[in-house]
Amino acid sequence: MCPLTRRTSFLCLALLLWTAGSAFAQLPSNELEGTWRMVSQERVYPDSTVDTREEWGANYKILNSTHFAWGRETKNGEEVLAGGGRYEYHPERNIYVEHIEYHSSPGFQDVTLRFEAKVKGDRWIHVGDLGSYKLREVWERVDPQEAEQETVANSPVGNDDR
């Protein structure tokens, strides 16, 4: 084998090993990856159900293959809540688990929440215990093209340049 072929073979092998090793840094994708907008949220108590939709304005959750970030604000814009951390999704068992690493309400920091979860088309429904009540949420997948068009339309900068 000539020296050039040997060097090329070594370089290809090194590149192959490097890319294979870096592939383990992120988990394979799952059906939760993406951006979600809350459609409804209810607190289900033993004797009643409280719909909390009217209290909140924008409410989004963004997931990659390993982590989530979430944020929402009150309708009047006076209060913003946010949090995030790692998550686990086990679709074969209909289980979604959030390991909250940071949260604007200190009582939720370092808390793990477990939900029964199902994805039906572009809807994600999950229900989990939060102390004295069950939290039932319905999320709808945000279409990336619609989000981009909305962002451009609402941007105070550069609308005339497009």
Side-chain angles (χ1 to χ4, degrees):
M1 187 181 280
C2 77
L4 182 58
T5 305
R6 201 174 296 146
R7 275 189 242 141
T8 304
S9 297
F10 176 75
L11 180 61
C12 288
L13 179 62
L15 185 59
L16 179 64
L17 291 173
W18 177 75
T19 56
S22 64
F24 292 113
Q26 189 161 351
L27 297 173
S29 64
N30 66 65
E31 63 188 334
L32 292 183
E33 283 190 48
T35 302
W36 299 84
R37 178 185 305 115
M38 182 173 281
V39 175
S40 69
Q41 182 185 63
E42 298 173 325
R43 292 182 184 150
V44 181
Y45 296 93
D47 59 347
S48 65
T49 299
V50 177
D51 184 344
T52 62
R53 255 182 308 191
E54 295 303 315
E55 300 171 21
W56 297 100
N59 194 345
Y60 291 92
K61 189 175 283 197
I62 302 168
L63 294 93
N64 68 18
S65 65
T66 59
H67 287 76
F68 75 96
W70 158 84
R72 70 179 178 185
E73 66 181 358
T74 53
K75 286 213 183 227
N76 61 13
E78 290 182 9
E79 184 180 6
V80 174
L81 294 175
R86 294 176 300 106
Y87 78 93
E88 299 172 42
Y89 179 51
H90 306 281
E92 70 285 355
R93 296 187 341 242
N94 295 327
I95 300 293
Y96 170 74
V97 180
E98 288 184 347
H99 303 282
I100 301 172
E101 296 173 0
Y102 59 92
H103 199 285
S104 53
S105 294
F108 280 103
Q109 201 163 332
D110 297 322
V111 168
T112 295
L113 302 175
R114 180 185 165 104
F115 297 91
E116 293 177 25
K118 291 182 186 174
V119 175
K120 294 179 181 179
D122 284 340
R123 291 274 170 125
W124 169 25
I125 302 142
H126 64 241
V127 179
D129 286 321
L130 260 70
S132 63
Y133 62 90
K134 286 187 180 289
L135 182 66
R136 183 182 323 157
E137 296 180 333
V138 178
W139 298 84
E140 182 175 68
R141 186 178 298 281
V142 174
D143 180 287
Q145 292 174 335
E146 286 179 25
E148 181 180 3
Q149 290 170 355
E150 186 178 315
T151 301
V152 170
N154 294 326
S155 175
V157 181
N159 279 342
D160 297 336
D161 298 336
R162 294 190 185 250

